[in-house]
Amino acid sequence: MSESTLRVVWVYPDLLSTYGDRGNALVVERRARQRHLNVTRIDVRSDQAVPTSGDIYLIGGGEDRPQRLAAERLRNDTGLVRASENGAIIFAVCAGYQILGHEFVNDLGQREPGLGLLDVWTTRGEGERCVGDVLADVDPTLGLPQLTGFENHQGVTHLGQGVNPLARVTAGRGNGTGDGTEGAWRDTVFGTYLHGPVMARNPAVADMLIKLALDVNALPPADTTWYDALRSERIAATTRPA
Ligand code: GLN
């Protein structure tokens, strides 16, 4: 962490914040402040260079055209890739997750290169769009409680050998491959299909990113009343029989 200030970089709010993923930046900031940490949030628009000095990079979801523009810009900019090579923590949602992979299908129906930071690739699903609430059990090595979130995507993401699934769905579609996997991760790079925004429903995810940034195994306890209420409401709504 630089100069005892946690630097949270929100990548391309002008292109990739269609689905309320701004909430993730707010929750990471809030969870850090609850532990009396100094936090700076840096919002990087797509006409600005991505700084390489951030601790935690957040990337949201977006519609197909902005997703293509964001991928083009991030490939040319190279800041995010360099930050990742320096060990930065990256958490990306949906379109952002697809961009972290090797390729995805863009709004013109063409294969668009991603950044190759996660060993995944995304094809266009032939079936119905994956839309709805999700519940998922997280990779046990990450030690997180069940995830709750909302997915909305046409892309189907395939995982290579270089990543692990972030979680396995018990409700919803996740990566859409039919194998129950949801998201992917390796080292300090994470991708998920969950909006919600995911941190507001799962503050333990924000805490995990902060722990990685501080290089500690635990954080002081912090109140989760509001988050718990939202979690129980959404978990009950997702498991209730139709
Ligand atoms: N455009 C992508 C898809 O439909 C991502 C959508 C999203 O970010 N919610 O797969």
Side-chain angles (χ1 to χ4, degrees), residues 19 61-64 67 93-95 98 129 152-155 195:
Y19 299 94
E63 304 293 344
D64 291 356
Q67 178 176 347
V93 176
C94 205
Q98 295 179 6
R129 201 173 167 84
N152 181 356
H153 57 104
Q154 189 67 42
H195 301 283

Side-chain angles (χ1 to χ4, degrees), residues 84-107:
S84 177
E85 285 164 358
N86 295 337
I89 296 147
I90 304 177
F91 188 91
V93 176
C94 205
Y97 167 38
Q98 295 179 6
I99 290 172
L100 292 191
H102 300 299
E103 64 175 44
F104 61 90
V105 178
N106 68 20
D107 59 314

